[in-house]
Amino acid sequence: MMPLDQANIDTDQILPKQFLTGVTRTGYGVNLFHDWRYLPGPEKRPDPSFVLNQTAYDGASVLLTRENFGCGSSREHAPWALVDYGFTVIIATSFADIFYGNSINNQLLPIVLPNSQLDLLFKKVAANPKTQIQIDLPNQKVTCEELSFAFEIQLHHKSNLMKGLDAIGQTLELNDKISAFENTRLTFS
């Protein structure tokens, strides 16, 4: 788990606008948190003080952060960059609404926990950067050593994440019903 103990991280910080050049979901991870991650200058020199550049957190798939994560513009590229980097879960006290929906559609699980519970998780990872966290989506639980927290998620979001569906995939599940309805309509010439 990787700690980014900051509130109000907007989508322009997650993925700056100059990197919104494609329509595929891959290739954005290298520019995730670009302006914080790299030192100023023409070359991409990692800033060793930024958490994504610290080897203690290599391979982390869970990002801990604070309230209002994903605020700002509604760019879907922000969750694309997070997923492309390797994150599968973001835990925060709140998310911007559009970012939350875009995350679900891109198989990125946004978990809301209260500050008191997040504080405990931040303390765990500060004491040991290799602290492991388990996310149990079917039972809606976050577990870290002796800590266990329940989280809420709407049933249809949970189902889509467990089935690997985005909004289009969810619609395609109803293809037989859609076809049956279309076949019952009168045709006019």
Side-chain angles (χ1 to χ4, degrees):
M1 118 178 100
M2 184 180 294
L4 184 54
D5 197 353
Q6 187 169 332
N8 301 310
I9 297 175
D10 66 39
T11 54
D12 201 44
Q13 291 303 327
I14 297 169
L15 187 68
K17 64 187 172 310
Q18 66 267 30
F19 302 111
L20 306 179
T21 57
V23 293
T24 61
R25 298 179 186 198
T26 59
Y28 296 102
V30 69
N31 295 310
L32 178 66
F33 298 115
H34 182 275
D35 295 349
W36 297 339
R37 188 173 171 188
Y38 299 105
L39 295 169
E43 300 172 5
K44 281 193 175 187
R45 292 177 301 126
D47 181 344
S49 68
F50 188 62
V51 67
L52 260 70
N53 297 324
Q54 297 173 6
T55 58
Y57 304 109
D58 284 352
S61 61
V62 177
L63 180 66
L64 293 181
T65 189
R66 294 293 179 172
E67 66 268 5
N68 203 24
F69 188 80
C71 58
S73 71
S74 60
R75 65 186 67 158
E76 192 170 20
H77 294 73
W80 290 356
L82 289 157
V83 170
D84 192 54
Y85 180 82
F87 289 113
T88 57
V89 177
I90 309 292
I91 302 176
T93 53
S94 64
F95 294 90
D97 289 342
I98 293 173
F99 178 85
Y100 186 94
N102 284 340
S103 295
I104 296 289
N105 279 333
N106 287 285
Q107 297 299 299
L108 179 62
L109 173 59
I111 295 176
V112 174
L113 292 179
N115 268 322
S116 59
Q117 293 175 352
L118 263 172
D119 289 343
L120 294 172
L121 293 174
F122 274 111
K123 284 180 186 173
K124 289 279 187 192
V125 77
N128 177 6
K130 292 296 182 188
T131 297
Q132 297 294 307
I133 189 169
Q134 293 80 39
I135 309 300
D136 180 352
L137 178 57
N139 294 306
Q140 298 174 213
K141 291 217 177 285
V142 172
T143 306
C144 181
E145 297 174 354
E146 78 284 357
L147 303 174
S148 183
F149 307 122
F151 65 90
E152 295 297 319
I153 185 169
Q154 291 180 7
L155 183 59
H156 70 281
H157 289 322
K158 179 178 171 178
S159 175
N160 286 349
L161 285 165
M162 291 176 65
K163 292 177 181 179
L165 300 175
D166 60 10
I168 294 170
Q170 184 180 8
T171 302
L172 290 175
E173 277 195 318
L174 302 172
N175 196 38
D176 291 342
K177 290 181 181 181
I178 293 168
S179 293
F181 171 77
E182 288 175 342
N183 289 334
T184 64
R185 296 183 61 193
L186 295 174
T187 55
F188 297 97
S189 38

